[in-house]
Amino acid sequence: VLVGGARRDLAGRHVVVSAGGTREPLDPVRYLGNRSSGRQGYALARAALARGAEVTLVSANATLPDPAGVKVLHVETTAELREAVVGAAPGADAVVMAAAPADFRPVDVSAAKIKKREDGSAAPVELVQNPDVLLEISQDRARPGQVVVGFAAETGDESGGVLDHARAKLARKGCDLLVVNDVSGGAVFGSEDNQGMILSADGEAVDVPLGSKSQLAHAIWDQVTIRMRD
Ligand code: CTP
Ligand code: CA
């Protein structure tokens, strides 16, 4: 369904979408982060709006303009992302975690800029794992029938192929749908296009061939809407 604006199948629904990559400060000028552009999450927000939804977009450091008509909550860290998503989830019919949260954060954030040392050695940085927002949202369904969607970029390795890893992640996270990107050929960050496989907890798999991020967004909402309850 490429003409999302023509169908209003999300009218009366509230959806929460997260987008972008979180950043964990090391000191006043530095952070640990990732290359997520936020484009897929923004495309999901715009597609849901076009289909009639009330949309809350939790945006982590994306440099994209706020889409008109969407409530945008800007966050920096995984902890802030968690607070915003958990706060918005109780009113949501669907939560889509397109953001790339940093998995770890520095244990201590230096109040002063970290300086180089005389002896040329590097200051060690101790990390601690961040909360898993998708897992938490999936476990504490804020309302019955809420559809929860995760994303995963995977590569095959000696322990299994892309789909093996994706199926295991879907089960581990407890979400309803997992959108899988095969990045074995090298991840294309900031690209205008995307492809994916939409796996569902009920065992289905929908292959979405390479196309615009808007096309993938609409294919995801197609799968979400058929799983929504009244
Ligand atoms: N996710 C999340 N909170 C985190 C990490 C990830 O909500 N702290 C969500 C992402 O937004 C995505 C899904 O979980 O929708 C899968 O992210 P991924 O990084 O693939 O999962 P991880 O559990 O972090 O596994 P990995 O060790 O492969 O990075
Ligand atoms: Ca991760």
Side-chain angles (χ1 to χ4, degrees):
V1 181
L2 310 181
V3 279
R7 49 190 306 181
R8 306 276 298 173
D9 54 1
L10 287 172
R13 302 292 194 178
H14 177 211
V15 303
V16 175
V17 178
S18 71
T22 65
R23 293 175 180 174
E24 304 295 341
L26 275 161
D27 71 13
V29 296
R30 305 187 181 94
Y31 58 83
L32 297 178
N34 63 71
R35 297 183 193 278
S36 177
S37 70
R39 282 201 174 88
Q40 187 61 63
Y42 276 62
L44 278 155
R46 283 193 300 267
L49 187 75
R51 291 165 79 140
E54 178 196 337
V55 184
T56 301
L57 176 62
V58 179
S59 172
N61 309 297
T63 55
L64 300 164
D66 290 0
V70 169
K71 181 181 179 188
V72 187
L73 305 174
H74 292 276
V75 298
E76 182 182 10
T77 64
T78 296
E80 289 168 9
L81 178 96
R82 179 196 161 272
E83 204 173 295
V85 172
V86 169
D93 298 290
V95 179
V96 181
M97 286 294 300
D103 290 335
F104 302 96
R105 67 178 184 278
V107 172
D108 300 306
V109 181
S110 174
K113 189 184 168 198
I114 300 166
K115 303 299 285 180
K116 285 192 284 189
R117 294 171 171 179
E118 292 291 340
D119 65 0
S121 69
V125 177
E126 199 190 330
L127 301 177
V128 61
Q129 195 166 310
N130 272 325
D132 190 321
V133 186
L134 179 61
L135 185 71
E136 182 176 344
I137 291 292
S138 298
Q139 284 174 347
D140 314 345
R141 301 282 168 148
R143 49 165 76 180
Q146 183 180 69
V147 182
V148 179
V149 185
F151 272 72
E154 299 287 344
T155 60
D157 58 26
E158 58 287 339
S159 71
V162 168
L163 280 183
D164 300 321
H165 288 306
R167 279 271 167 225
K169 187 167 281 180
L170 173 62
R172 197 163 64 235
K173 299 281 189 176
C175 50
D176 301 292
L177 297 168
L178 189 75
V179 184
V180 186
N181 292 127
D182 183 344
V183 293
S184 303
V188 194
F189 291 99
S191 163
E192 297 293 339
D193 293 326
N194 212 348
Q195 48 75 233
M197 180 84 93
I198 307 171
L199 301 182
S200 69
D202 45 49
E204 280 183 53
V206 175
D207 192 20
V208 184
L210 187 66
S212 69
K213 290 191 172 177
S214 171
Q215 283 175 295
L216 178 57
H218 279 292
I220 293 165
W221 290 123
D222 288 345
Q223 293 305 309
V224 170
T225 50
I226 60 178
R227 288 172 174 81
M228 276 178 169
R229 278 198 247 147
D230 295 330

